[in-house]
Amino acid sequence: MEHDLDFPDFIDSERYLSLDQELSEADQLRAMLSNLTRIHLLTASSYDSFDELIHQYLLSGTEIFSLETGIVSQIKSDGSYHVLDVISPLEVLEAGQIFPLEDTYCKYVYQQQKVLGIPQVGKLSFMAQHPVYKNLKLEAYLSAPIYVRDTLFGTLNFTSTHSRAYAFSEYECSMIQLLANSIGNYLLLRDKEDRLLTLNQRIKTFVGYVSHDLRTPLSAITSFSAIAKKESEKNEPNLSKLQKIIHKISTASEHAIELTHSILENAAISTGKLSLNIQTFNAKELCQQSIASLEQIQEDCKKEVVLHCDAAASMYADKKRLQQVLENLLINALKYGTAPIILKVKSLDCGCEIKVTNSIDPSKATTEIDHLYSVGFGLDIVQDILKAHRSELLVKQEDDHYHCSFFLNNN
């Protein structure tokens, strides 16, 4: 097996110093100190971009290890090897290239999960037939894995068409590992920064949605309360009209309370505290309940939701959470789409497909439409609930129609 291949060992620093007769021991120690200082300055520096960081690391590495070619790669889960940046006199190598991992020396670093140093590749029988050696005759090779958390991101490697007279040292092994670890730490910090920026944007969006959506039901409560007060002050017994007004007040207040509950539930979902009560229930009944709960919004928007659902269709999910999903999708369509708004449930052998379709006002800008159907507090809740159900929301545009759909397994 390739995992058991015999790679050269790193030699200890004392023996390494005695092997190199070109410089005195004092000069070699000074060179080591200079290299350590250089690496310290690299790791302590601030970089505006990942591209700038890896370019400086490659430039320093080619000088520190006296190897002419330096590459930082990313290894994807599909087994592809992506060249993120390269410094090399070889014109066939350039940033952006993608190779099968199997066709690179770095496949051995990926398999061994450790630093490898090979002074003369051609002397190893299993390496002499490698396509890189055949095509480029890269002899000396030193490479370290780059980890982000505990996941192997890629490799930092240096090569040369000239072989080395003796093996790489433990000192050089430590040096390239320091460089690789520093790159991994940078990537980790960048990932954390990106997540914080995303979270901050979600908070800003959340505040905007809450301030807007709470205003609507609370304004309705205030307005209907004023009307109800005037009606009650009249001496005319018009109970049916008064009852309708009171019903609207009740509906609006319930919507405000539900929004408050949604805020708390979204906080629970975001922290992974969502628990599901999975059961089988009638799909049409749930859809009808969801549509009925949005009666006031349909009246305000002067739009209605049309339901197409088989009477016998069933869903296997958390009924309360699925109603949240449907209501959020329908509210989005009612507010930003044009009639007709269609809720369709299609029964399949292994589950059911739920789709909300509506038209788009062609006068609206494309960027505005994309914004409405890709972000938002309501859609965040939808995506999180569907993820808990091992599903996801798919948004598709066909001409001036938008389709928001998801699939539920029946077991």
Side-chain angles (χ1 to χ4, degrees):
M1 292 178 63
E2 290 188 336
H3 289 271
D4 300 324
L5 295 175
D6 188 19
F7 289 97
D9 293 327
F10 290 95
I11 56 177
D12 64 76
S13 298
E14 184 176 348
R15 185 176 170 217
Y16 173 73
L17 291 174
S18 66
L19 286 171
D20 189 354
Q21 301 299 323
E22 294 181 5
L23 297 174
S24 66
E25 185 172 318
D27 287 337
Q28 290 182 64
L29 290 173
R30 275 193 288 269
M32 287 184 179
L33 179 60
S34 175
N35 289 337
L36 285 171
T37 302
R38 185 168 186 173
I39 289 180
H40 171 72
L41 292 174
L42 281 174
T43 57
S45 298
S46 176
Y47 299 95
D48 293 331
S49 69
F50 182 55
D51 292 341
E52 181 186 353
L53 176 138
I54 60 177
H55 188 78
Q56 290 300 320
Y57 274 47
L58 290 178
L59 183 62
S60 298
T62 54
E63 296 174 3
I64 290 172
F65 303 114
S66 298
L67 299 172
E68 58 200 24
T69 294
I71 297 175
V72 171
S73 72
Q74 181 177 7
I75 299 171
K76 299 290 187 70
S77 58
D78 62 358
S80 58
Y81 177 94
H82 296 244
V83 179
L84 300 183
D85 198 5
V86 58
I87 290 180
S88 178
L90 302 174
E91 295 182 357
V92 295
L93 294 175
E94 59 183 31
Q97 290 176 311
I98 302 175
F99 305 102
L101 178 60
E102 284 294 313
D103 292 345
T104 69
Y105 288 169
C106 289
K107 77 169 186 177
Y108 298 111
V109 177
Y110 180 82
Q111 292 168 354
Q112 301 288 319
Q113 304 278 299
K114 65 180 182 180
V115 179
L116 292 181
I118 307 173
Q120 297 180 39
V121 171
K123 286 194 172 183
L124 299 177
S125 59
F126 59 89
M127 293 286 285
Q129 301 304 314
H130 197 283
V132 172
Y133 185 75
K134 285 185 174 182
N135 295 325
L136 301 179
K137 286 292 186 282
L138 293 177
E139 284 284 2
Y141 171 74
L142 178 64
S143 180
I146 299 172
Y147 286 96
V148 179
R149 293 189 177 91
D150 296 324
T151 302
L152 195 149
F153 171 84
T155 61
L156 169 66
N157 65 89
F158 298 94
T159 59
S160 175
T161 54
H162 303 289
S163 62
R164 287 176 42 131
Y166 42 85
F168 287 97
S169 67
E170 291 178 349
Y171 158 74
E172 289 170 305
C173 174
S174 299
M175 296 287 277
I176 192 171
Q177 189 66 74
L178 280 173
L179 291 172
N181 289 346
S182 181
I183 293 174
N185 288 335
Y186 179 90
L187 288 169
L188 179 59
L189 290 173
R190 187 182 69 171
D191 178 59
K192 288 181 177 179
E193 182 180 4
D194 289 344
R195 285 190 292 160
L196 285 173
L197 289 172
T198 300
L199 180 59
N200 185 53
Q201 187 57 48
R202 284 189 64 176
I203 291 173
K204 289 180 180 178
T205 304
F206 162 78
V207 171
Y209 272 78
V210 170
S211 61
H212 177 271
D213 288 356
L214 269 178
R215 190 185 300 117
T216 301
L218 292 176
S219 296
I221 291 170
T222 303
S223 300
F224 290 134
S225 296
I227 296 172
K229 184 178 180 181
K230 288 181 181 179
E231 289 295 327
S232 64
E233 290 174 350
K234 294 179 181 179
N235 295 322
E236 302 172 4
N238 194 350
L239 292 179
S240 62
K241 185 176 181 180
L242 185 60
Q243 286 172 346
K244 286 182 179 179
I245 294 172
I246 293 173
H247 174 70
K248 289 182 177 181
I249 293 174
S250 176
T251 302
S253 62
E254 287 175 2
H255 181 62
I257 293 171
E258 182 60 32
L259 181 59
T260 305
H261 287 168
S262 294
I263 294 170
L264 298 174
E265 288 169 352
N266 183 254
I269 292 169
S270 300
T271 55
K273 296 179 181 178
L274 175 65
S275 58
L276 300 178
N277 179 22
I278 302 295
Q279 56 184 303
T280 301
F281 51 88
N282 184 270
K284 188 172 183 178
E285 181 181 322
L286 176 69
C287 292
Q288 289 173 333
Q289 290 174 355
S290 300
I291 294 171
S293 69
L294 304 177
E295 178 185 356
Q296 185 60 52
I297 295 178
Q298 293 179 74
E299 286 185 19
D300 293 342
C301 297
K302 295 180 174 60
K303 303 167 193 171
E304 65 175 347
V305 179
V306 179
L307 175 62
H308 296 302
C309 179
D310 297 334
S314 63
M315 293 179 178
Y316 182 72
D318 185 310
K319 187 175 182 179
K320 180 181 176 182
R321 301 298 181 184
L322 255 294
Q323 184 165 346
Q324 279 184 275
V325 169
L326 292 178
E327 289 180 4
N328 275 290
L329 293 179
L330 292 174
I331 288 172
N332 202 55
L334 286 165
K335 286 185 177 181
Y336 306 118
T338 58
I341 295 162
I342 301 172
L343 173 57
K344 184 177 182 180
V345 179
K346 182 180 180 181
S347 292
L348 303 172
D349 292 339
C350 53
C352 63
E353 181 188 48
I354 300 91
K355 182 184 293 185
V356 175
T357 300
N358 62 273
S359 301
I360 293 297
D361 186 347
S363 65
K364 290 186 177 180
T366 303
T367 52
E368 182 183 358
I369 294 171
D370 288 343
H371 176 77
L372 296 174
Y373 283 88
S374 61
V375 298
F377 178 52
L379 291 186
D380 283 343
I381 293 177
V382 168
Q383 290 285 24
D384 287 334
I385 292 176
L386 291 181
K387 183 178 179 181
H389 284 82
R390 294 177 297 171
S391 182
E392 64 176 329
L393 181 68
L394 302 176
V395 180
K396 183 179 179 182
Q397 181 184 5
E398 292 180 346
D399 297 326
D400 61 343
H401 288 77
Y402 264 84
H403 308 279
C404 296
S405 63
F406 59 94
F407 177 81
L408 289 175
N409 283 305
N410 56 12
N411 53 50

